[in-house]
Amino acid sequence: MSEQLNEQELVQYIAGETDADEQLIKLVLKHEHAFINNAKEDKNGEVDIDGDELVDYILSRSDVKSNELIVESILEAEMDYLMDKGLAGYVD
């Protein structure tokens, strides 16, 4: 992980990929962060995040006025960005 996360660059990347509003993107990322921080670690100290549960959690927040497709596209674009930067990856 040689590169630091630049939040503004991330938001602009996601906006370019999804055409979503920057305020919505920031809101989705805020709720995603809260969900991940509250997830329980397994015995190896790893956290398994179910994408459907994450999307449902974000959509259940009263301040999120969006739909499943848009939230999923924001999260997918975020993952693409993080993978391009070498900051994240998928575990099989």
Side-chain angles (χ1 to χ4, degrees):
M1 290 197 210
S2 59
E3 193 166 334
Q4 291 283 30
L5 178 63
N6 179 328
E7 183 180 356
Q8 187 57 37
E9 183 180 286
L10 171 62
V11 170
Q12 289 174 346
Y13 174 86
I14 295 170
E17 293 293 310
T18 64
D19 293 326
D21 177 72
E22 286 191 16
Q23 290 306 109
L24 175 61
I25 294 167
K26 289 177 184 178
L27 195 58
V28 167
L29 296 178
K30 177 185 93 168
H31 289 305
E32 174 195 30
H33 187 72
F35 181 86
I36 291 170
N37 284 341
N38 290 326
K40 302 291 184 231
E41 293 181 354
D42 65 15
K43 63 183 177 188
N44 299 322
E46 296 177 355
V47 176
D48 184 28
I49 302 295
D50 180 279
D52 291 333
E53 289 178 11
L54 174 58
V55 170
D56 290 344
Y57 172 82
I58 292 168
L59 289 171
S60 73
R61 305 297 91 190
S62 62
D63 56 347
V64 175
K65 307 293 185 229
S66 188
N67 64 53
E68 185 175 351
L69 185 60
I70 293 171
V71 170
E72 285 179 349
S73 67
I74 290 170
L75 296 174
E76 287 173 12
E78 176 198 23
M79 191 61 162
D80 290 345
Y81 174 87
L82 295 174
M83 288 174 51
D84 287 348
K85 297 293 183 181
L87 298 172
Y90 289 105
V91 177
D92 292 328

